[in-house]
Amino acid sequence: MTTVPGAPSSKYMKTPNDSPLKVWFLAPLAIWLTVLFLLPLVFLLWIGFWRVENFQAVPDLSLGNYQEIFASFFSRSRYGLALVQSLWVAATTAVFAVVFSYVAALAIAFAVPARWQRLALLVAIAPFWSSYVLRLYSWQTILSRNGVINSILKQVGLSEYRIDIIYTQVATRIGLIHYLAPILIVILYVSILAIDRVLIEAARELGATRWQAFTRVILPLSRFGLMTAASFAVIVSLGDALSGNLLGGGAGASIIGKLPTYAGMIMSDYSSSTNLPRTSALATILIAVMVLTLAVGFVLADKARRRIG
């Protein structure tokens, strides 16, 4: 077999990605995840098996904390009802947050000129420049019975239409949506930006209306981003306690009843009890629910990705 002069050799050529040194570039990330995430998580799980003697936590491998929790999970302690409340608040918050963020991401991707899209995205994530706690206190000022909205309604003679949602789970959702929206907008914007515009233009040229192009091209091709954003919103909402305490009033009114969120109950248990192992066991149960939610979201997102592929 003769070779053409100047033709590339058939011998395998190594690239920078084939170098064994590339593994070492992952070392800082692995160290960061191990020290700041895995080790504290393992320690938290381990404390859940400890026991308390004379108000002192004693290392052990006992299931006593979990037995005590589940013995009155839906009755006296009401941890189970609080978990149901958290799931309800998290699921509905995720729906509203994803819809709002998806509309905002669509507006940035299709209504804003390309040269201004980065600036629009920067404005969308601007709330992250301020403290989350400060934003919650701002919403308290806006939503309270004598707050900004009700004061304006009173000034214009519409005091009979005053809002009364502070210290309810509706207010909790507002705080969570305000926190989640900047992150979800970025996730969904990247997902929408990955859609081939040629497919949208082809649909329009074939006679599809804008609504048909959206429902048959844009929406199906952004399912992966939607599932990812929804999973993220549910997990963050499940683990958040600040919004439920500052805006929801602890046990805010909801369709399920005046019940606190599960994360709020963990915070209350931690601040009012010396039984750290039981608190760790409660947190472990929440982590298990989060992992299950993440697994379901991963499966749905993977199915959406395969449909796109």
Side-chain angles (χ1 to χ4, degrees), residues 254-297:
S254 171
I255 190 173
I256 297 178
K258 285 191 174 184
L259 293 167
T261 60
Y262 189 80
M265 289 194 74
I266 293 176
M267 292 296 294
S268 298
D269 191 85
Y270 175 76
S271 61
S272 62
S273 174
T274 58
N275 194 336
L276 182 60
R278 188 183 66 178
T279 305
S280 299
L282 289 171
T284 301
I285 294 171
L286 181 60
I287 292 172
V289 174
M290 288 181 175
V291 171
L292 180 60
T293 303
L294 183 62
V296 172

Side-chain angles (χ1 to χ4, degrees), residues 44-50 61-73 79 262 277-288:
L44 174 69
L45 298 177
W46 182 36
I47 293 178
F49 294 102
W50 291 12
L61 286 176
S62 171
L63 294 175
N65 295 312
Y66 293 96
Q67 291 172 352
E68 179 185 349
I69 291 170
F70 286 109
S72 59
F73 202 58
Y79 288 124
Y262 189 80
R278 188 183 66 178
T279 305
S280 299
L282 289 171
T284 301
I285 294 171
L286 181 60
I287 292 172

Side-chain angles (χ1 to χ4, degrees), residues 28-49:
L29 177 60
I31 294 172
W32 184 84
L33 288 174
T34 301
V35 174
L36 298 180
F37 177 71
L38 290 179
L39 289 180
L41 179 61
V42 171
F43 187 60
L44 174 69
L45 298 177
W46 182 36
I47 293 178
F49 294 102

Side-chain angles (χ1 to χ4, degrees), residues 162-283:
R162 59 182 295 166
I163 62 170
D164 192 16
I165 61 175
I166 192 67
Y167 303 139
T168 68
Q169 297 301 354
V170 174
T172 299
R173 292 182 182 91
I174 292 175
L176 287 171
I177 291 172
H178 190 187
Y179 175 73
L180 290 167
I183 309 173
L184 300 187
I185 288 173
V186 173
I187 294 174
L188 293 170
Y189 172 77
V190 172
S191 177
I192 294 170
L193 207 63
I195 299 175
D196 192 348
R197 297 296 180 96
V198 174
L199 298 175
I200 303 173
E201 294 173 1
R204 294 285 287 159
E205 290 179 359
L206 291 174
T209 63
R210 290 185 177 180
W211 176 251
Q212 289 174 331
F214 168 72
T215 56
R216 298 182 182 182
V217 179
I218 299 174
L219 185 59
L221 293 178
S222 55
R223 282 178 183 170
F224 179 77
L226 289 169
M227 295 297 178
T228 303
S231 301
F232 179 84
V234 170
I235 291 173
V236 171
S237 299
L238 279 173
D240 183 86
L242 288 176
S243 185
N245 287 333
L246 296 180
L247 295 179
S254 171
I255 190 173
I256 297 178
K258 285 191 174 184
L259 293 167
T261 60
Y262 189 80
M265 289 194 74
I266 293 176
M267 292 296 294
S268 298
D269 191 85
Y270 175 76
S271 61
S272 62
S273 174
T274 58
N275 194 336
L276 182 60
R278 188 183 66 178
T279 305
S280 299
L282 289 171

Side-chain angles (χ1 to χ4, degrees), residues 15-96:
T15 65
N17 289 332
D18 298 317
S19 173
L21 294 177
K22 70 176 183 179
V23 177
W24 293 104
F25 290 108
L26 299 176
L29 177 60
I31 294 172
W32 184 84
L33 288 174
T34 301
V35 174
L36 298 180
F37 177 71
L38 290 179
L39 289 180
L41 179 61
V42 171
F43 187 60
L44 174 69
L45 298 177
W46 182 36
I47 293 178
F49 294 102
W50 291 12
R51 53 189 172 83
V52 175
E53 288 185 2
N54 298 324
F55 304 102
Q56 294 284 337
V58 179
D60 197 357
L61 286 176
S62 171
L63 294 175
N65 295 312
Y66 293 96
Q67 291 172 352
E68 179 185 349
I69 291 170
F70 286 109
S72 59
F73 202 58
F74 286 97
S75 55
R76 179 172 53 83
S77 67
R78 304 207 301 176
Y79 288 124
L81 297 176
L83 185 58
V84 172
Q85 178 80 293
S86 290
L87 290 170
W88 167 247
V89 171
T92 51
T93 298
V95 171
F96 288 114

